[in-house]
Amino acid sequence: MAIDIKSLNHNQLNDLISKAQLRQNELRKEKVGKLREKVHALIKAEGYTFEDIFGTGVRAKRRGTGSVAPKYRNPADPEQTWSGRGKRPRWFSDALKAGKKEKDLAI
């Protein structure tokens, strides 16, 4: 099947590209499925299970994102604190511009 791509307009070319990419993904999935079946058959023929060879599949859990203790406090409003991580709060930047030092705002 030969397609003269020089005769295609922009939309037709984009459509052809997207169809080709979809077909490529389908072929890849088919190939992966066949390979998976071969691997399982080989493992079974040798008398093992998939878990014997590759483990149980249980992965270590990621650490949760715990809260960090605040490092700085706004002297004008003690309710506002900042851990020193991430973007600086506006009150912190304003205090530095007003002449305060980081150690003045430290808890």
Side-chain angles (χ1 to χ4, degrees), residues 72-82 91-92 95 105:
Y72 303 101
R73 176 170 279 129
N74 184 357
D77 183 5
E79 294 283 322
Q80 295 177 333
T81 59
W82 180 47
W91 62 263
F92 190 84
L105 303 170

Side-chain angles (χ1 to χ4, degrees), residues 32-101:
V32 167
K34 288 178 184 177
L35 182 60
R36 183 177 287 129
E37 290 173 8
K38 285 182 185 178
V39 169
H40 279 288
L42 181 62
I43 290 171
K44 190 175 182 181
E46 294 293 325
Y48 293 100
T49 65
F50 187 82
E51 289 77 20
D52 291 338
I53 305 298
F54 296 106
T56 60
V58 177
R59 296 189 178 160
K61 293 182 180 179
R62 286 183 61 188
R63 285 190 313 158
T65 54
S67 60
V68 179
K71 220 173 155 182
Y72 303 101
R73 176 170 279 129
N74 184 357
D77 183 5
E79 294 283 322
Q80 295 177 333
T81 59
W82 180 47
S83 66
R85 294 185 179 181
K87 186 177 177 184
R88 286 182 174 174
R90 183 171 284 140
W91 62 263
F92 190 84
S93 298
D94 292 343
L96 293 178
K97 286 177 186 173
K100 295 207 181 238
K101 296 188 177 4

Side-chain angles (χ1 to χ4, degrees), residues 1-33:
M1 173 174 111
I3 298 174
D4 182 20
I5 60 172
K6 290 185 179 184
S7 65
L8 299 177
N9 66 28
H10 184 73
N11 291 335
Q12 291 171 331
L13 191 58
N14 282 337
D15 188 44
L16 179 63
I17 290 170
S18 64
K19 285 180 182 178
Q21 287 174 336
L22 287 173
R23 181 63 182 145
Q24 189 176 33
N25 288 338
E26 289 172 1
L27 290 173
R28 184 179 185 284
K29 286 179 184 178
E30 288 175 13
K31 191 171 185 177
V32 167

